[in-house]
Amino acid sequence: MKLYDLELSGNCYRVRLLLSLLGQPVQLVNVNLGAGENRQPWFLALNPRGQVPVLDDDGFVVWDTLAIMTYLARKAGGEKWLPSDPKNMARVMQWLAVMENETQYGLARARVIASMGFPGNLEEAQKIGLRVLGILEARLTAHDWLALPHCTLADIGCFPYVALARQGGLPLDDYPAILRWIARIKSLQGYVAMPGV
Ligand SMILES: N[C@@H](CCC(=O)N[C@@H](CS)C(=O)NCC(=O)O)C(=O)O
């Protein structure tokens, strides 16, 4: 498998982490966004959105972390990461909706504005970030994992931008349940880190 990747991207990190937890070897191909490689015709042929990550599994090309994680979980993860039982699948999907929305528009956006000089409304992003941290803290105070009694795609999906929240000016000191959950993820067999996590 080949992953078109960027080391500092939390979106790409989700996929690298899942691949490692699944024990799947991968060849990483760094895409230089700063040099506009993602806007070159060869890359747009892989992903018309011009974004990383993109996975190429022996000629099967899929883009977007949600789609890639779904593919990998169902291909190599049995019933563990994204169960096929309707209720348990829905339990995982509702937290993946949080990954797609609040963690992205709150935590991830605050990070790129505060730490990487991207334009945008930091206060607005932090407000959304604080709201999602509150939701996660409440859930994780009562449960070890977000969706099911074990780690699933829901946890791996939400993890990167929560663990990087400090870079968006949102330290996690007041979120003990989130900190315990981060430690739990870090102790999983096959865990790999990224800079800042
Ligand atoms: N929803 C997409 C978001 C991917 C995304 O925003 N990737 C960023 C890097 S973190 C990117 O490639 N940005 C370049 C661009 O949009 O031009 C996913 O989950 O894969």
Side-chain angles (χ1 to χ4, degrees), residues 134-144 175-178 180 184:
I135 292 168
L136 294 172
E137 178 69 13
R139 174 72 190 174
L140 292 166
T141 298
H143 300 86
D144 281 353
Y175 299 93
I178 291 180
R180 284 195 298 274
R184 231 172 270 131

Side-chain angles (χ1 to χ4, degrees), residues 1-3 15 18-19 22 24 54-78 81-82 93 96 153:
M1 267 188 260
K2 201 188 278 185
L3 182 70
V15 177
L18 181 63
L19 281 163
L22 290 170
Q24 296 286 312
V54 177
L55 184 78
D56 181 340
D57 182 14
D58 202 19
F60 171 68
V61 176
V62 59
W63 39 263
D64 195 282
T65 52
L66 184 55
I68 297 171
M69 288 197 311
T70 300
Y71 173 69
L72 291 172
R74 294 303 309 162
K75 184 188 172 191
W81 300 93
L82 184 63
M93 293 308 296
L96 288 171
L153 279 199

Side-chain angles (χ1 to χ4, degrees), residues 6 8-12 14-15 31 33 38-39 43 47 49-54 63-68 99-100 104-105 111-112 118 161:
L6 178 71
L8 292 181
S9 157
N11 291 312
C12 294
R14 266 186 209 123
V15 177
V31 180
L33 300 191
N38 57 320
R39 299 284 158 201
F43 189 81
N47 179 0
R49 282 164 128 185
Q51 295 177 330
V52 286
V54 177
W63 39 263
D64 195 282
T65 52
L66 184 55
I68 297 171
M99 167 193 95
E100 286 285 81
Q104 210 68 34
Y105 299 119
R111 172 178 178 247
V112 293
F118 279 45
Y161 290 116

